[in-house]
Amino acid sequence: MRFISRLPAMGLSLAVAAGLSASALAQQGQPPLSAEESDPRVLGWMVGSPPPADKIITQPDSVYFSFPRLRWSVCHLREFLPTEEISRGLGAPVPLSYLTPDELTQYAEEIDALTFTPMNSDGQMTWKDSLGANYTDGMLIMHKGRVVYEKYSGCLNEDGKHAAMSMTKSLTGLLAQILVAEGTLDETKRVIDIIPEIKGSAFATATVREVMDMTTGVKYSENYADPNADIWVYSRAASPLPKPEGYKGPNGYWEYLQQVQPEGRHGDEFHYKTINSDMLGWIITRVTGKEVTQLASERLWSKMGAEQAAYQTVDGKGVPFAGGGLTASLRDLGRLGQLMLDEGVINGKRLFPAEVARRIRQGGDPSKFAGFPTIPNGSYTSQWWVFHNDHGAYAARGVHGQTIYVDPTAEMVLVRFASFPTAANGRIDPTSLPAYQAVAEYLMAKD
Amino acid sequence: MRFISRLPAMGLSLAVAAGLSASALAQQGQPPLSAEESDPRVLGWMVGSPPPADKIITQPDSVYFSFPRLRWSVCHLREFLPTEEISRGLGAPVPLSYLTPDELTQYAEEIDALTFTPMNSDGQMTWKDSLGANYTDGMLIMHKGRVVYEKYSGCLNEDGKHAAMSMTKSLTGLLAQILVAEGTLDETKRVIDIIPEIKGSAFATATVREVMDMTTGVKYSENYADPNADIWVYSRAASPLPKPEGYKGPNGYWEYLQQVQPEGRHGDEFHYKTINSDMLGWIITRVTGKEVTQLASERLWSKMGAEQAAYQTVDGKGVPFAGGGLTASLRDLGRLGQLMLDEGVINGKRLFPAEVARRIRQGGDPSKFAGFPTIPNGSYTSQWWVFHNDHGAYAARGVHGQTIYVDPTAEMVLVRFASFPTAANGRIDPTSLPAYQAVAEYLMAKD
């Protein structure tokens, strides 16, 4: 039984992707090290041949994805897990446009000095201090298609890659939205009409749109204290390791999805449950005959001038983790954000119809959205978060502080990689969302 | 104990890299499917969402690396194993030079029609038939720096990658030879003088050169029938999975190397033992402070105009498998071969001193070399196989038919990826080495 009890730890950080990590739990009540103190270069993880025993980061994920080790591991997930490549193809990358070096210096100084009021606070914080407060590993800001700010810290470099966590969902949702716009995927269809073998699952009678918007009525508990909680069953199913003898549970994401029980009614309310993203990944693969990694390569990475191949973790049957498995470079997610801002056009080429980005930007039904105090008027649609604020901003978001933040009014794309000690973005938003707004206003004032 | 008994199966195909696979053992006595019959596209592995149960390839490696499944898995190792990237950097690839399309067609026809006499045979075989006979997945032939022949089959495409198996050793050896030429590594030093903690191991008193040439006197048995054989201990050590509770053996390649027992005398004879390559990987990392993956990227992949990042499997402590973990693209290994032929220069840039390639080409001591009937006059040096034939040819070689074959006389570089049912190259050479010679002579006659 020891083997079984270890399996959840190999569950590809499903818990983390879902919004709450074992590390966060373990750290409760302890003041975590600061960003500077926990910088992986300061702590010296994995330095040496071999590193000292207490500086080696290894399995299981309750170790390698615990703070402060996660500050190293977010750049190295493939060293722990089986993965598939999202190929950038064989052509030359298309470099991003930049301000002149002098302008970049000036903008960096000015942006670093910007101040804003964190949520639920009377005080002021500078942009520069917000980087540390949020354990930022990478920050890229583009304005009107040009990079105006770029910083790397912690484990990340310009030629490195970082875990995107639940921003993966937005990639999956974008692919689905493209297929809807092209007529390959009918969002009004019920899942069972696309995947007949889902018949025993609560997903069967949900529509594709409900899956895309996470308004399905499906049971998926993430009570970590309960050893029978769905999250553990999902983790065991998702583990890429050989299943222990006698294991009777579902094997892989897709078998898990076939036995999901109902909870509530489809269409009633938004519930942030990762299994919707994996259901959507399956739907995409069924209607295209292609894995989401292949589709992401064909439609995006090989056509947007990407600098680096990305990758996605997989389950034991080679199915990519559509709800949280992506790792990519900062600039390539900048390209993806710019592609959204420019409604499907990049480097003079149209990669998808404009209505794809417009539909996402428009958002879901805010009346169905609740439970996220830092996004009071928000909605969730096609696996993207829509703020319904003055600027019409929307975002891909992943735990521990990952975001692609698109502000159409300021013509700004902001990508942040981070390794905040706590998973839940509710802890990270107060010093992030007002900071993004401050930069947006700064950039608009520069016009 | 079940967990322990499963561990060897996760041993990163050490057995395979070492020259004999479980699959080969399982297949003994059965006539294997032909290349055409076993083509993964014909067998339909991993096609479908999900694939039919009997078409899914999954853990452990006794399954995924058994013939005919290995014909799919050689292109997909990262989907089963943790890996590290060998980055190609962020610049534009430098396309290989090609004959004109008309010339390519003509050369392909002429080369396909070439005939040769397989070893130990009276009959004749055409080049084209040799491709199938050897379960060829990719074949690239370059002459005087230009591609004259390029074919993909089985699981491989131009934008795919393939397991290099023990060709990895030659990459490790090349890096070591570069460090020797640059004076960073003293080949006359004993290992213990570089890595003091190797003191309890038979490697301690071997020289770096003896490690490079595999003339060390170290015990390493690969008797698969013996559950206590060293190969199994090494496999358990190398497994990237969490070690089972109560496990007392070495953890990782480097801990294993510290407890190797002596067998014979250093310097006396060549013995093909993979642990030498991992010892060399450790030496390289100790003297440079860099992992072999990082060094391969800095010195080769990021400077030779590579089209794709390569990758290397790792143990549970993140140490790359220097003896067999590499996966790369056909063309990028063509670049590596051309770099050897051109003695360190590619695309007008010198990447390493000419003496590096010259030293390797010169070979080791043939009087210490025995036991490879298909290489009767050969030697092994710096982890490369030297044929000491009329053409001065030398090669990187990996089980199941992998090779980078450099013929300085014909100014030919040939790269072959294959998935021959049997691991040992002794079975594959009879229809390969004479075929390479025939192409070399054909190309020389074209001059």
Side-chain angles (χ1 to χ4, degrees):
Chain A
M1 287 305 288
R2 268 195 222 113
F3 187 50
I4 290 178
S5 74
R6 277 165 179 276
L7 266 174
M10 289 290 292
L12 304 195
S13 299
L14 272 168
V16 173
L20 191 63
S21 73
S23 59
L25 292 171
Q27 296 294 324
Q28 273 173 3
Q30 298 171 32
L33 299 175
S34 71
E36 236 172 39
E37 291 164 341
S38 65
D39 189 310
R41 297 164 298 185
V42 170
L43 293 181
W45 300 119
M46 299 299 269
V47 175
S49 57
D54 63 345
K55 296 299 184 184
I56 292 179
I57 299 184
T58 185
Q59 302 280 4
D61 73 356
S62 58
V63 172
Y64 74 72
F65 222 80
S66 67
F67 181 84
R69 288 179 183 80
L70 76 82
R71 299 215 64 203
W72 184 87
S73 301
V74 285
C75 295
H76 299 271
L77 279 189
R78 67 183 293 166
E79 299 173 35
F80 301 105
L81 295 165
T83 57
E84 277 185 13
E85 182 167 286
I86 298 176
S87 170
R88 58 168 296 286
L90 303 179
V94 181
L96 293 175
S97 297
Y98 280 79
L99 296 178
T100 66
D102 282 352
E103 287 171 328
L104 279 171
T105 304
Q106 185 204 330
Y107 273 64
E109 282 173 8
E110 292 175 1
I111 291 174
D112 282 344
L114 289 175
T115 60
F116 64 91
T117 308
M119 292 177 189
N120 312 317
S121 162
D122 296 327
Q124 292 275 298
M125 181 180 267
T126 64
W127 172 268
K128 192 175 184 187
D129 286 345
S130 80
L131 298 179
N134 291 312
Y135 297 73
T136 303
D137 297 323
M139 175 64 77
L140 181 79
I141 306 175
M142 301 180 70
H143 181 226
K144 297 187 170 180
R146 288 192 302 174
V147 176
V148 300
Y149 189 97
E150 183 176 16
K151 276 203 178 162
Y152 297 91
S153 188
C155 62
L156 195 63
N157 293 303
E158 64 170 8
D159 58 352
K161 294 189 262 259
H162 195 286
M165 308 312 299
S166 289
M167 294 201 288
T168 312
K169 295 175 170 71
S170 305
L171 172 60
T172 306
L174 172 59
L175 294 173
Q177 191 64 55
I178 291 172
L179 298 173
V180 167
E182 293 176 348
T184 307
L185 178 61
D186 179 351
E187 66 176 42
T188 68
K189 269 197 179 170
R190 296 179 310 163
V191 178
I192 194 173
D193 295 326
I194 297 169
I195 302 178
E197 61 266 47
I198 205 74
K199 62 179 184 299
S201 162
F203 277 114
T205 52
T207 66
V208 171
R209 173 50 64 188
E210 287 159 349
V211 174
M212 291 172 75
D213 290 0
M214 292 207 193
T215 58
T216 52
V218 295
K219 181 175 169 296
Y220 183 71
S221 63
E222 293 181 3
N223 178 1
Y224 292 82
D226 175 6
N228 298 314
D230 300 303
I231 178 69
W232 299 128
V233 182
Y234 203 36
S235 291
R236 283 192 286 271
S239 167
L241 306 192
K243 296 287 181 277
E245 274 181 55
Y247 174 79
K248 298 288 185 199
N251 185 349
Y253 296 111
W254 295 351
E255 275 194 25
Y256 180 91
L257 296 171
Q258 289 176 259
Q259 51 85 66
V260 168
Q261 297 302 303
E263 184 176 273
R265 286 199 316 184
H266 296 317
D268 275 3
E269 288 180 328
F270 165 67
H271 296 287
Y272 188 68
K273 294 181 177 178
T274 296
I275 52 176
N276 286 286
S277 311
D278 288 302
M279 187 71 250
L280 189 57
W282 191 3
I283 291 167
I284 288 169
T285 299
R286 180 60 61 90
V287 299
T288 63
K290 293 173 181 175
E291 294 193 282
V292 289
T293 44
Q294 186 185 350
L295 206 60
S297 170
E298 289 179 7
R299 293 310 188 90
L300 301 167
W301 255 255
S302 69
K303 297 216 168 112
M304 68 186 189
E307 284 179 350
Q308 295 190 58
Y311 63 81
Q312 209 155 335
T313 58
V314 294
D315 70 15
K317 293 175 171 176
V319 173
F321 181 21
L326 178 69
T327 283
S329 82
L330 187 68
R331 290 180 189 154
D332 287 338
L333 292 195
R335 289 174 170 90
L336 195 66
Q338 193 63 38
L339 193 54
M340 294 301 289
L341 180 66
D342 290 340
E343 299 184 338
V345 174
I346 193 165
N347 306 322
K349 286 182 301 189
R350 176 165 292 287
L351 304 197
F352 53 75
E355 67 186 271
V356 171
R358 288 181 195 155
R359 173 64 187 82
I360 290 170
R361 196 174 66 210
Q362 167 198 322
D365 183 347
S367 75
K368 295 179 181 174
F369 184 92
F372 294 85
T374 58
I375 312 174
N377 309 306
S379 73
Y380 190 82
T381 196
S382 305
Q383 314 272 310
W384 290 73
W385 302 82
V386 181
F387 296 95
H388 299 280
N389 62 10
D390 289 352
H391 285 205
Y394 60 102
R397 290 159 59 88
V399 288
H400 295 282
Q402 326 312 321
T403 203
I404 303 171
Y405 185 92
V406 182
D407 181 333
T409 303
E411 297 173 80
M412 176 183 84
V413 171
L414 181 153
V415 184
R416 183 182 68 190
F417 283 133
S419 42
F420 196 85
T422 307
N425 275 314
R427 294 280 299 277
I428 311 167
D429 284 340
T431 54
S432 301
L433 297 179
Y436 303 163
Q437 182 67 22
V439 179
E441 287 167 11
Y442 159 81
L443 292 172
M444 289 173 72
K446 296 287 276 190
D447 288 347
Chain B
M1 286 309 288
R2 266 193 222 111
F3 187 50
I4 290 178
S5 72
R6 276 166 178 273
L7 267 174
M10 288 290 292
L12 306 194
S13 299
L14 272 167
V16 173
L20 191 62
S21 73
S23 60
L25 292 171
Q27 296 294 325
Q28 274 174 1
Q30 298 171 33
L33 299 174
S34 71
E36 237 173 38
E37 291 164 341
S38 65
D39 189 310
R41 297 166 298 186
V42 171
L43 293 182
W45 301 118
M46 299 299 270
V47 175
S49 56
D54 62 345
K55 297 299 185 185
I56 291 178
I57 299 184
T58 186
Q59 301 280 3
D61 72 356
S62 58
V63 172
Y64 74 73
F65 222 79
S66 67
F67 181 85
R69 288 178 183 81
L70 75 83
R71 299 214 64 202
W72 184 88
S73 301
V74 285
C75 294
H76 298 270
L77 279 190
R78 68 182 293 165
E79 299 173 34
F80 301 106
L81 295 166
T83 57
E84 277 185 13
E85 181 168 286
I86 298 176
S87 169
R88 58 168 296 284
L90 303 179
V94 180
L96 293 175
S97 297
Y98 280 79
L99 296 178
T100 66
D102 282 352
E103 288 171 328
L104 279 171
T105 304
Q106 185 204 329
Y107 273 64
E109 281 173 10
E110 292 174 2
I111 291 174
D112 283 343
L114 288 175
T115 59
F116 64 92
T117 307
M119 292 178 190
N120 313 316
S121 162
D122 296 327
Q124 292 275 297
M125 181 179 267
T126 65
W127 172 268
K128 192 175 185 188
D129 286 344
S130 80
L131 298 179
N134 291 312
Y135 298 72
T136 303
D137 297 322
M139 175 64 77
L140 182 79
I141 307 175
M142 299 178 70
H143 181 225
K144 299 188 169 179
R146 288 193 302 174
V147 176
V148 300
Y149 189 95
E150 184 176 16
K151 275 205 180 161
Y152 297 92
S153 187
C155 61
L156 195 63
N157 293 302
E158 62 170 10
D159 58 351
K161 294 190 262 259
H162 195 286
M165 308 311 299
S166 288
M167 294 201 289
T168 312
K169 295 175 169 72
S170 305
L171 173 59
T172 306
L174 172 59
L175 294 173
Q177 191 65 53
I178 291 172
L179 297 173
V180 167
E182 293 176 349
T184 306
L185 179 60
D186 179 351
E187 68 175 40
T188 68
K189 269 197 180 171
R190 295 179 311 162
V191 179
I192 193 173
D193 296 326
I194 297 169
I195 302 177
E197 61 267 46
I198 205 75
K199 63 179 183 297
S201 163
F203 276 114
T205 52
T207 65
V208 171
R209 172 50 63 189
E210 286 159 351
V211 175
M212 290 172 75
D213 290 0
M214 291 206 194
T215 57
T216 53
V218 293
K219 181 175 170 295
Y220 183 70
S221 64
E222 293 181 1
N223 178 1
Y224 292 82
D226 174 6
N228 297 316
D230 300 303
I231 178 69
W232 299 128
V233 182
Y234 204 38
S235 291
R236 282 192 288 270
S239 166
L241 305 192
K243 296 288 182 278
E245 275 181 55
Y247 175 80
K248 299 288 186 200
N251 186 349
Y253 295 110
W254 295 350
E255 276 193 26
Y256 180 91
L257 296 171
Q258 289 175 258
Q259 51 84 67
V260 169
Q261 297 301 304
E263 184 176 273
R265 285 198 317 182
H266 296 317
D268 275 2
E269 285 181 330
F270 165 68
H271 296 286
Y272 189 67
K273 294 181 177 178
T274 296
I275 53 175
N276 286 287
S277 311
D278 287 302
M279 187 70 251
L280 189 57
W282 192 2
I283 291 168
I284 288 169
T285 299
R286 180 60 61 90
V287 299
T288 62
K290 293 173 181 175
E291 295 192 281
V292 289
T293 45
Q294 187 185 348
L295 206 60
S297 170
E298 289 180 8
R299 295 308 188 90
L300 301 167
W301 255 256
S302 69
K303 297 215 169 112
M304 68 186 191
E307 283 178 350
Q308 295 190 57
Y311 64 81
Q312 210 155 335
T313 59
V314 294
D315 69 15
K317 294 175 170 177
V319 173
F321 181 21
L326 177 70
T327 283
S329 82
L330 186 68
R331 289 181 189 154
D332 287 338
L333 292 195
R335 289 175 170 90
L336 195 66
Q338 192 63 38
L339 193 54
M340 295 301 290
L341 180 66
D342 291 340
E343 300 184 340
V345 174
I346 192 164
N347 305 321
K349 286 181 301 188
R350 175 164 291 285
L351 304 197
F352 54 75
E355 68 186 90
V356 170
R358 288 181 196 154
R359 173 64 187 81
I360 290 170
R361 194 174 66 210
Q362 169 197 321
D365 183 347
S367 75
K368 296 178 179 173
F369 185 93
F372 293 85
T374 57
I375 312 175
N377 309 307
S379 72
Y380 191 81
T381 195
S382 306
Q383 315 272 310
W384 290 74
W385 301 83
V386 182
F387 296 96
H388 299 280
N389 63 8
D390 289 351
H391 284 206
Y394 60 103
R397 291 159 58 88
V399 288
H400 294 283
Q402 325 313 318
T403 203
I404 304 171
Y405 184 93
V406 182
D407 181 332
T409 303
E411 297 174 79
M412 176 183 84
V413 171
L414 179 153
V415 184
R416 182 181 69 189
F417 282 133
S419 42
F420 195 85
T422 308
N425 275 314
R427 294 280 299 277
I428 310 167
D429 284 339
T431 52
S432 301
L433 297 178
Y436 302 164
Q437 182 67 22
V439 179
E441 288 166 9
Y442 159 81
L443 292 173
M444 289 172 73
K446 296 287 277 189
D447 288 347

